[in-house]
Amino acid sequence: MLTSPDQALLLARWQFAFTVSFHIIFPAISIGLASYLAVLEGLWLRTRNTVYRDLFFFWSKVFAVGFAMGVVSGVVMSYEFGTNWSGFSTVAGSVTGPLLAFEVMTAFFLEAGFLGIMLFGWHKVGPRAHFFATVMVATGTLISTFWILASNSWMQTPQGYALEDGRIVPVDWWQIVFNPSFPYRLVHMALAAFIVAATLVAACSAWHLLRGRGDAAIRKAFSMALWMLLVVVPIQIFVGDAHGINTREHQPAKIAAIEGLWETEHGGTALNLVGWPDMEREETRWAVKVPHLGSVILTHSWDGEIRGLKDFAPEDRPNSTIVFWSFRIMVGMGLLLLLMALAGLLLRRGGRLYANRFFQRFVLLMAPSGLIALLAGWITTEAGRQPWVVYGVLRTKDAVSAVSAQQVGTSLMIFVVVYFAVFGTGIYYMLKLMGKGPDLPRDAAEAAAPDTGKGAPRFDHRPLSRPTDPIDE
């Protein structure tokens, strides 16, 4: 039976998980698409192939909607830090506050300064100036990733601080930013965003190929997305392996929970392929094991030792049931994406990439795979850090505000209703845009038309006014 403070803590965690889960979708799309737009515009400037230009116009509309949704959903985070997590803000705010401020002063200012030029300046500035603006927006999204991952990674592997009167005081900002897990998380997240964008572009192209539209723009986008996945997914697997070894070193309880490993096995650790970690019985039920494979993957040796969960006090263990399966969902999506990219390579060599409808249906089905892998990976990271909000320093139960379950429950219900209405509409609009596809071909008169369309100039400084085309045609 949960007490009222326990209920408030649980509801506050659910609320943060719900709002962050919505939020992380849009920045991931924005990060990936921003770099894709920079590549498209660069290729347009170099080759003057109008296919790249038209793809840039089309995907800039999808990017604009995703970017706006990301900004709006991100504002809620600061609200929750103040209302539900004042203990965290009080203890760790001197570190996380400046890191988020650095993001605003560098990434947000950069994006805000050039976003309008990128979205609406095609006919207002020179081609090179416009390309520079697009590159700056893409750079801004990556800088934002840098600071957010620095903050989150510090919460996972904190260093460079001192404790004074129960509060964390920054001592060495270099150590804080470049904490042990930061490089792995930064690269892992950036690559995940590229994969998210590539899966969306590939699936959108597959949708149009299946509907009989095989013009140059659709084929080019399909080909580019599959090349991107073929390059990035293997790199992501390599980075994920390095990230796992880093986690074993700095967060051994998390690795034990991910693997559903209860006992420390000497002479070689087996890998539980599937099973059901039971936190009450302290065992993984119905486990299918492969001897020594855990050691091979996590220590790169035949008999490497991995600490089991029973080496840690029960109150210091993450929920193995959650992270065991969230991790396997992430890995499963990654392997399916690798299979898809390799199949695309084989079809490309056989000249059947744009004709094989079975493969195109597979690519369409894989549209959400990048986002599913991203969310599953995030759940693994955050749930695996529990019961700590700052690993080894501040427990989650000590970070929550003195709020009642009724207060948190009410705001959670409001968030659920508003989020599904607002962001559900945004996602629907993005899907409709992608379903409509790029307008091809663009004649000279159309290409020279104002960016914002009839009646839109009054709002032409807002990202959401970039997609001016009706979607219900």
Side-chain angles (χ1 to χ4, degrees):
M1 186 73 178
L2 291 176
T3 63
S4 181
D6 289 338
Q7 290 176 341
L9 171 62
L10 185 61
L11 288 170
R13 289 183 62 190
W14 283 0
Q15 184 180 117
F16 200 78
F18 175 77
T19 52
V20 173
S21 296
F22 260 94
H23 172 64
I24 197 172
I25 291 173
F26 300 110
I29 294 173
S30 300
I31 294 165
L33 283 185
S35 294
Y36 180 51
L37 290 172
V39 171
L40 287 173
E41 190 169 1
L43 290 171
W44 150 247
L45 286 175
R46 181 173 181 177
T47 65
R48 292 297 173 180
N49 184 340
T50 56
V51 166
Y52 296 119
R53 182 197 63 188
D54 291 323
L55 283 174
F56 173 86
F57 286 147
F58 170 64
W59 284 105
S60 68
K61 298 172 185 177
V62 180
F63 167 83
V65 179
F67 186 88
M69 294 292 106
V71 171
V72 174
S73 59
V75 172
V76 177
M77 304 296 104
S78 54
Y79 157 79
E80 288 177 290
F81 285 141
T83 56
N84 295 355
W85 301 103
S86 61
F88 168 71
S89 300
T90 300
V91 175
S94 58
V95 170
T96 58
L99 291 177
L100 297 180
F102 295 154
E103 182 202 12
V104 172
M105 290 188 293
T106 55
F108 283 4
F109 284 4
L110 190 66
E111 291 168 340
F114 290 98
L115 183 65
I117 298 173
M118 187 191 92
L119 294 180
F120 308 109
W122 190 267
H123 299 292
K124 298 178 177 64
V125 299
R128 295 185 183 280
H130 191 275
F131 177 58
F132 181 74
T134 304
V135 171
M136 287 300 99
V137 171
T139 304
T141 62
L142 293 173
I143 293 175
S144 179
T145 309
F146 178 93
W147 290 117
I148 291 298
L149 267 294
S151 177
N152 182 269
S153 299
W154 179 81
M155 292 164 63
Q156 303 278 351
T157 52
Q159 67 174 20
Y161 69 92
L163 279 173
E164 294 183 5
D165 299 326
R167 298 189 180 191
I168 294 170
V169 178
V171 174
D172 186 330
W173 280 104
W174 182 267
Q175 286 195 12
I176 288 172
V177 172
F178 295 98
N179 59 78
S181 65
F182 172 67
Y184 304 95
R185 295 177 190 281
L186 176 64
V187 177
H188 206 42
M189 178 63 200
L191 293 177
F194 294 154
I195 291 172
V196 166
T199 53
L200 292 180
V201 173
C204 176
S205 305
W207 164 259
H208 290 288
L209 287 170
L210 287 168
R211 290 168 64 89
R213 181 175 171 180
D215 52 62
I218 299 298
R219 290 179 173 228
K220 181 63 72 177
F222 194 54
S223 176
M224 290 178 72
L226 289 173
W227 275 125
M228 184 69 179
L229 289 171
L230 187 64
V231 173
V232 174
V233 171
I235 297 175
Q236 181 72 311
I237 293 173
F238 173 78
V239 172
D241 175 67
H243 187 12
I245 293 174
N246 178 267
T247 303
R248 180 182 61 82
E249 179 180 355
H250 296 282
Q251 295 178 294
K254 178 189 285 188
I255 282 294
I258 287 172
E259 300 305 333
L261 184 65
W262 294 91
E263 306 285 350
T264 301
E265 299 177 10
H266 304 287
T269 304
L271 179 74
N272 293 322
L273 291 177
V274 295
W276 189 261
D278 189 324
M279 298 299 290
E280 296 292 330
R281 299 173 62 163
E282 297 187 336
E283 65 173 314
T284 298
R285 307 174 71 183
W286 311 298
V288 177
K289 297 174 178 287
V290 179
H292 292 279
L293 188 56
S295 294
V296 171
I297 293 176
L298 287 167
T299 68
H300 291 186
S301 66
W302 185 251
D303 55 358
E305 189 173 291
I306 304 170
R307 297 175 66 187
L309 275 172
K310 289 184 180 178
D311 281 9
F312 306 92
E315 63 271 20
D316 292 340
R317 300 173 186 168
N319 188 310
S320 180
T321 312
I322 294 175
V323 297
F324 182 89
W325 280 106
S326 61
F327 178 77
R328 278 151 184 77
I329 291 172
M330 178 189 70
V331 172
M333 289 295 109
L335 294 177
L336 283 174
L337 283 167
L338 181 63
L339 174 66
M340 185 176 83
L342 292 174
L345 178 64
L346 289 176
L347 290 172
R348 192 189 300 272
R349 292 173 64 88
R352 294 176 289 126
L353 183 63
Y354 308 112
N356 191 307
R357 295 179 67 80
F358 177 81
F359 177 69
Q360 291 161 11
R361 290 191 184 96
F362 177 44
V363 174
L364 179 60
L365 190 65
M366 290 292 287
S369 59
L371 287 170
I372 292 173
L374 180 80
L375 286 170
W378 173 79
I379 290 170
T380 304
T381 292
E382 299 305 308
R385 188 187 57 208
Q386 300 303 318
W388 307 95
V389 65
V390 179
Y391 196 76
V393 180
L394 177 64
R395 290 182 182 274
T396 307
K397 66 181 180 62
D398 297 324
V400 71
S401 303
V403 289
S404 67
Q406 289 77 12
Q407 289 172 321
V408 185
T410 301
S411 57
L412 173 59
M413 286 189 290
I414 293 173
F415 275 130
V416 170
V417 172
V418 172
Y419 268 54
F420 275 105
V422 175
F423 300 114
T425 302
I427 292 171
Y428 170 79
Y429 190 64
M430 292 171 73
L431 291 174
K432 292 290 286 186
L433 276 174
M434 287 188 278
K436 185 180 179 184
D439 295 327
L440 293 175
R442 287 167 60 90
D443 57 29
E446 190 179 5
D451 294 325
T452 51
K454 293 181 180 178
R458 194 159 58 95
F459 305 107
D460 63 359
H461 58 294
R462 298 174 183 174
L464 280 176
S465 62
R466 178 66 186 94
T468 55
D469 304 328
I471 56 175
D472 290 317
E473 290 182 335

